[in-house]
């Protein structure tokens, strides 16, 4: 088995991580097997049902995850086969556990069925929820405000390998080069120690004030004209020179822009409500009876503090 999984991993490496089909064909096609068990495509597909429906396709595009899943399945199935061979499945308590696990699996499938039906019900009458979506938009308009953003570039002198004073001195030297006519992007490619932006001439891209370290944002948003460069500014990462490349004012997103988000939230709330109604119906079933003495017998009664103290004293005698 280990050899087979290694081959799968090698196959993933050879294709550079591209999606590969580990088991195409009929449900009973065997994917992996050892001397004890066989894993079929149907087994794999059944195991995938444990994942949320919207993540199954993405899961299958990662050979490492697929291989890990198959490995865990093989180990589990093999251990179960060994347990049956050893007669553990004939133990009454084990049989109860198996039955309970089967019930849990069925309950999970039933809950998903309820959620699927609820989702379909919502979709069929989605137009009825548009007024509610618009109402939410008007109540929470501030939630849909896009804050002011700027586009900027920077040159970083990191404090990971030097003191703050040394980093500031380097930033000041580069500031002088800019003042003498140096090109910001060329200097960033040569001197910046931010590996994410160095090759792009220090270009960061668009961001709002809250997305950056506060001293960085304060200096960047204080720049007025496109092309302006800040004096050296210190952050927890080091010393920076920042150039303003663009500015977008704060704006209010329209209802049409956020309608799909609002409808999706309402849909999820509807599905959750229907699920809750089903659960509440079970909890509040008038036919439900409780054997209180049997229930009380499950609870371990702890002795009060005086009794506990006396028990400790008796043990010390």
């Amino acid at each position: 088995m280990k050899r087979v999984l290694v081959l799968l991993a090698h196959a993933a490496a050879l294709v550079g991580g591209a999606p590969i089909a580990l088991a195409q064909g009929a449900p009973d096609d065997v994917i992996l097997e050892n001397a004890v068990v066989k894993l079929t495509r149907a087994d794999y597909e059944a195991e995938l049902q444990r994942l949320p429906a919207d993540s199954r396709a993405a899961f299958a595009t990662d050979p490492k995850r697929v291989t890990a899943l198959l490995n865990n399945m093989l180990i589990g199935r093999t251990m179960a086969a060994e347990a049956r061979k050893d007669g553990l499945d004939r133990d009454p308590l084990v049989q109860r556990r198996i039955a309970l696990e089967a019930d849990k699996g069925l309950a999970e499938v039933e809950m998903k069925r309820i959620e699927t039906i609820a989702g379909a019900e919502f979709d069929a009458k989605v137009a009825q929820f548009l007024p509610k979506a618009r109402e939410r938009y008007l109540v929470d308009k501030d939630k849909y405000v896009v804050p002011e953003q700027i586009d900027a570039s920077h040159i970083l002198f990191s404090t990971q390998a030097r003191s703050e004073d040394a980093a500031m001195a380097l930033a000041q030297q580069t500031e002088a080069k800019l003042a003498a006519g140096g090109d910001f992007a060329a200097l960033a490619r040569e001197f910046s120690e931010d590996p994410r932006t160095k090759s792009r001439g220090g270009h960061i891209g668009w961001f709002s004030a809250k997305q950056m370290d506060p001293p960085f944002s304060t200096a960047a948003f204080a720049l007025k004209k496109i092309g302006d460069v800040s004096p050296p500014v210190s952050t927890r990462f080091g010393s920076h020179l920042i150039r303003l490349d663009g500015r977008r004012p704060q704006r209010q997103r329209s209802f049409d822009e956020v309608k799909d988000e609002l409808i999706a939230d309402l849909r999820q709330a509807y599905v959750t409500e229907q699920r809750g109604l089903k659960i509440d119906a079970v909890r509040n079933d008038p036919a439900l009876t409780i054997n209180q003495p049997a229930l009380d017998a499950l609870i371990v009664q702890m002795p009060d503090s005086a009794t506990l103290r006396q028990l400790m004293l008796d043990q010390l005698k």
Side-chain angles (χ1 to χ4, degrees), residues 82-93:
E82 294 289 347
R84 293 187 186 92
K85 180 180 177 181
D86 294 336
L88 298 182
D89 58 326
R90 294 192 292 273
D91 183 295
L93 190 58

Side-chain angles (χ1 to χ4, degrees), residues 4-22 63-64 67:
V4 175
L5 292 183
V6 167
L7 288 174
L8 288 173
H10 285 176
L14 288 173
V15 296
I20 56 175
L22 292 179
K64 289 184 179 179
T67 300

Side-chain angles (χ1 to χ4, degrees), residues 66-239:
V66 172
T67 300
L69 176 62
L70 291 171
N71 188 51
N72 290 334
M73 289 178 63
L74 190 75
I75 292 171
R77 291 282 299 279
T78 302
M79 292 299 101
E82 294 289 347
R84 293 187 186 92
K85 180 180 177 181
D86 294 336
L88 298 182
D89 58 326
R90 294 192 292 273
D91 183 295
L93 190 58
V94 172
Q95 291 176 348
R96 288 289 182 119
R97 285 183 59 189
I98 293 172
L100 287 171
E101 289 301 322
D103 282 348
K104 288 179 183 179
L106 285 171
E108 180 180 333
V109 172
E110 175 63 9
M111 279 300 179
K112 288 182 178 179
R113 187 186 73 87
I114 292 169
E115 292 171 356
T116 298
I117 292 173
E121 290 175 352
F122 181 94
D123 295 340
K125 53 185 179 182
V126 65
Q128 300 176 25
F129 289 89
L130 282 175
K132 181 66 174 178
R134 191 176 293 277
E135 178 185 338
R136 284 197 176 187
Y137 172 75
L138 294 174
V139 170
D140 296 326
K141 284 191 75 172
D142 289 348
K143 180 179 177 182
Y144 303 105
V145 170
V146 179
E148 179 185 16
Q149 295 180 317
I150 64 171
D151 184 23
S153 300
H154 80 141
I155 302 173
L156 169 67
F157 297 95
S158 174
T159 50
Q160 286 188 344
R162 62 176 66 88
S163 68
E164 292 182 8
D165 288 343
M168 178 59 69
L170 288 172
Q172 291 169 342
Q173 292 171 19
T174 305
E175 181 184 26
K177 293 178 181 179
L178 287 169
D183 180 74
F184 190 97
L187 290 170
R189 291 189 182 94
E190 183 175 358
F191 296 115
S192 181
E193 295 172 332
D194 180 355
R196 296 171 300 175
T197 63
K198 181 180 179 72
S199 64
R200 303 197 302 266
H203 187 231
I204 299 169
W206 292 94
F207 57 89
S208 63
K210 291 184 178 181
Q211 291 179 280
M212 293 295 182
D213 207 40
F216 188 98
S217 287
T218 299
F221 278 80
L223 297 170
K224 300 302 182 184
K225 295 186 300 182
I226 304 302
D228 281 354
V229 178
S230 72
V233 56
S234 295
T235 71
R236 58 195 175 96
F237 302 104
S239 293

Side-chain angles (χ1 to χ4, degrees), residues 254-268:
S254 68
F255 174 73
D256 286 340
E257 286 181 275
V258 301
K259 181 176 68 175
D260 289 346
E261 297 173 32
L262 289 162
I263 291 296
D265 289 343
L266 289 172
R267 187 182 193 275
Q268 183 57 52

